[in-house]
Amino acid sequence: MVLKVFGFPTSTCTRRVGVVLEELNIPYELIVVSLPKNEQKSAAFLEHQPFGVVPYIVDDDGYEIYESRAIARYLAAKCGSSLLPSPSDLHKWGKFEQAASIEQSNFDVFAASIAAERVFRPAKGLTSDENIAQRHTEALAAKLDVYDVILSRQRYLAGDECTLADLFHLPYGAMITKIGINLLEDESRRPHVARWWKDISSRDSWQKVKDNLPLTSSQ
Ligand SMILES: N[C@@H](CCC(=O)N[C@@H](CS)C(=O)NCC(=O)O)C(=O)O
């Protein structure tokens, strides 16, 4: 049985899993759960993901897991990939966990909120709060100033090797960039962030899933 991803092709969290599947060359099939039709709130879906959000995966041996970052860690651990340092290399693993935590506390919280106000709410015909979008854009800019200092000393967020912590930024980073928020590509203000963003966003894995997750993998 091929690994199945239950998600939505353009969903940021589904593509967070997609980019990791592509990095690891794991064949997969996308089973579309329609967000516009609210299928993620159906009783059948809630049996697998009780919070009613995509994605979850069913691995080739029937094992199920949800939460995009947990799925990514599970898959990288299964493959023994260097994208996830092993706890046996304690110092490297610690820096990876630090970087993964930085992404959730200092990036995702703001970028997801900007996307909610500027992309998701308008798409659903809901009014958005421009003050929140503005405030969170300013907050994210300040956090990325700190990223620039970190990335002036090392190539990636956890050290000199790319890890899942870098890849976790791709879906929301690409979304805010696409709507014209020039925080990641501004070479004059944040040259090291711009170098890092260009590096991770040009990876083949991301190029394959950046617009949507295909129904089946290309391997
Ligand atoms: N922390 C979860 C978040 C999942 C999530 O928020 N998924 C969104 C799509 S990116 C969703 O299903 N939204 C529909 C809804 O909230 O009903 C993860 O990373 O998997």
Side-chain angles (χ1 to χ4, degrees), residues 11-14 16 35 38 40-41 49 52-55 66-69 172:
S11 123
T12 46
C13 305
T14 304
R16 185 176 291 120
L35 298 185
N38 245 10
Q40 76 281 14
K41 306 297 186 211
Q49 213 299 5
V53 287
V54 294
Y66 56 80
E67 279 294 331
S68 59
R69 294 171 183 81
Y172 277 120

Side-chain angles (χ1 to χ4, degrees), residues 41 50 63 113 168 179 215:
K41 306 297 186 211
Y63 177 74
S113 163
F168 289 165
I179 61 171
L215 289 177

